[in-house]
Amino acid sequence: MYKSYEDDFLASLKKQEEEFKTRTERAGAVTVKLSTIKDRITPLMKKVFIIIVSNGLSKEKEIKSIAVKQIRDTEMLNYSTDTIYRSIKNLVTLGLFDVIQIPTGIRTFNLLRITDVGSLLYMNEFGKNPPESEMQKVISDHASYTHGYMIEEVKNILVQRGTYPMVTTDRATNKLVLPDNTVIIPDVIAGTNECWEIFEVECGTHNNSDFYHKCDKLIRVKRHLNFIGSSRGSVEKDLIPKINAWIRNREPERLLNYGITISVYSMYDFKKGNCSYYYDMKSSKPVCLLKKSKRKEKSVNE
């Protein structure tokens, strides 16, 4: 049965009222919590909080290093490293930051994300919204924090390797417009204007249709593709089946005639300079270049 215009209007109005009530109750709870926090936050904790937020810091390891340096070297305050580290932990305990753990396949590290209470504290202190943090910039460009920081990891590995004169993850720089105005933005481009490669970081979030569409666009700009997954297990479970299916769908013989080849890596293998799997298009299945080992891939916790 169709709703009348009046029914639709009343339903919309009720939804707006409920949303406003929820926001109001949430804001009230945040305000109450902030008043409690103000009684418990120490001068050192407040200094550290301002250092983190004002500089848009997100990585816990970087936060610790910068907080120690600024408080002891710049402000010449006599606090021990452990005391400063504890103040960072206490800011999380008070609810000013959430901790988000990021596994990249070769290491796991923590991000500190400011909460609503933390944002309100900053606004009360400075009369303006907190600056955009590193992790906010990452999530604005990528599907997830993990995807964004894995791309950063790949860039760092390539830069440290020193093989390429230029390595970029900047989306504006990496934007490629095809003759039919189709746009593709590779995760990482490395090389020179004349000779370059693309590297795609995969977290297993694409469905088959999206993955096929992505591969179809990629082979219009490069004949060799590089795909990187987090671990050997995730590569074998999520990435290899999609590539196999795409090759079967597009026919190995046709791709072979076009000169298409694909290298597939886990992050651990990529860092070691080893290719996990290689497709020469003589079939829809890859050549396994690395023997399976019972030894687990190493992931360093920071």
Side-chain angles (χ1 to χ4, degrees):
M1 184 176 179
Y2 292 108
K3 288 184 178 180
S4 67
Y5 173 80
E6 184 178 355
D7 288 339
D8 279 339
F9 174 76
L10 291 174
S12 175
L13 187 63
K14 184 177 180 181
K15 184 179 179 182
Q16 292 178 41
E17 289 175 346
E18 289 173 349
E19 289 175 350
F20 177 77
K21 182 181 178 183
T22 300
R23 287 197 302 270
T24 302
E25 290 174 348
R26 184 179 175 188
V30 167
T31 303
V32 170
K33 190 170 183 179
L34 179 61
S35 64
T36 303
I37 288 172
K38 281 184 173 180
D39 294 333
R40 297 175 60 188
I41 193 167
T42 66
L44 175 60
M45 289 164 61
K46 195 169 186 180
K47 279 184 180 296
V48 173
F49 172 80
I50 292 170
I51 289 170
I52 296 170
V53 181
S54 298
N55 291 287
L57 304 176
S58 295
K59 296 189 190 78
E60 185 180 45
K61 186 176 180 180
E62 184 182 26
I63 286 169
K64 288 178 176 179
S65 174
I66 291 175
V68 169
K69 183 174 180 59
Q70 187 160 332
I71 289 170
R72 289 169 55 179
D73 296 351
T74 305
E75 300 190 25
M76 304 299 288
L77 297 174
N78 191 26
Y79 289 104
S80 71
T81 298
D82 286 344
T83 301
I84 296 171
Y85 284 4
R86 278 197 301 272
S87 71
I88 296 170
K89 185 177 180 179
N90 289 337
L91 290 173
V92 173
T93 302
L94 286 178
L96 296 173
F97 295 99
D98 290 326
V99 177
I100 297 178
Q101 201 169 68
I102 303 294
T104 67
I106 52 177
R107 65 183 179 126
T108 300
F109 60 91
N110 292 332
L111 300 175
L112 299 191
R113 180 177 62 188
I114 193 169
T115 62
D116 290 342
V117 182
S119 295
L120 185 57
L121 175 62
Y122 188 89
M123 285 188 283
N124 282 357
E125 192 71 23
F126 297 101
K128 59 183 180 182
N129 288 324
E132 186 179 32
S133 68
E134 177 196 83
M135 62 190 301
Q136 286 174 319
K137 293 174 184 175
V138 167
I139 200 63
S140 67
D141 285 338
H142 303 287
S144 67
Y145 294 120
T146 299
H147 183 239
Y149 282 101
M150 280 181 65
I151 291 172
E152 181 186 90
E153 201 87 88
V154 169
K155 177 184 177 180
N156 292 338
I157 291 169
L158 291 173
V159 169
Q160 290 166 13
R161 194 174 292 169
T163 308
Y164 302 97
M166 179 275 297
V167 181
T168 175
T169 58
D170 180 72
R171 288 177 62 81
T173 303
N174 288 4
K175 182 179 179 180
L176 304 174
V177 182
L178 304 178
D180 61 359
N181 290 324
T182 300
V183 173
I184 183 167
I185 306 176
D187 291 331
V188 184
I189 293 181
T192 65
N193 290 335
E194 293 75 30
C195 182
W196 48 277
E197 286 192 69
I198 56 178
F199 298 84
E200 287 296 306
V201 175
E202 292 294 322
C203 295
T205 56
H206 288 103
N207 59 38
N208 278 13
S209 178
D210 289 342
F211 185 78
Y212 292 178
H213 185 56
K214 179 179 184 177
C215 290
D216 289 343
K217 290 196 294 182
L218 288 171
I219 61 172
R220 293 178 64 185
V221 294
K222 295 302 291 183
R223 288 291 183 258
H224 181 71
L225 309 181
N226 297 286
F227 287 104
I228 304 166
S230 59
S231 66
R232 194 87 62 81
S234 68
V235 164
E236 293 169 351
K237 179 184 176 183
D238 299 317
L239 187 50
I240 292 296
K242 286 186 175 69
I243 298 174
N244 291 350
W246 174 74
I247 292 172
R248 286 195 300 270
N249 190 272
R250 300 302 184 258
E251 299 177 7
E253 297 82 1
R254 290 179 60 202
L255 296 173
L256 178 61
N257 289 335
Y258 290 146
I260 305 299
T261 54
I262 299 175
S263 294
V264 185
Y265 309 82
S266 71
M267 283 291 294
Y268 179 81
D269 292 335
F270 185 72
K271 185 176 182 181
K272 293 289 185 180
N274 299 323
C275 181
S276 311
Y277 292 93
Y278 181 77
Y279 289 84
D280 56 14
M281 300 306 161
K282 293 178 182 177
S283 76
S284 62
K285 294 183 179 180
V287 177
C288 182
L289 298 180
L290 296 175
K291 292 181 179 179
K292 289 188 177 182
S293 172
K294 294 181 180 179
R295 179 176 52 83
K296 291 184 178 180
E297 294 175 283
K298 294 179 181 178
S299 181
V300 179
N301 288 304
E302 293 183 354

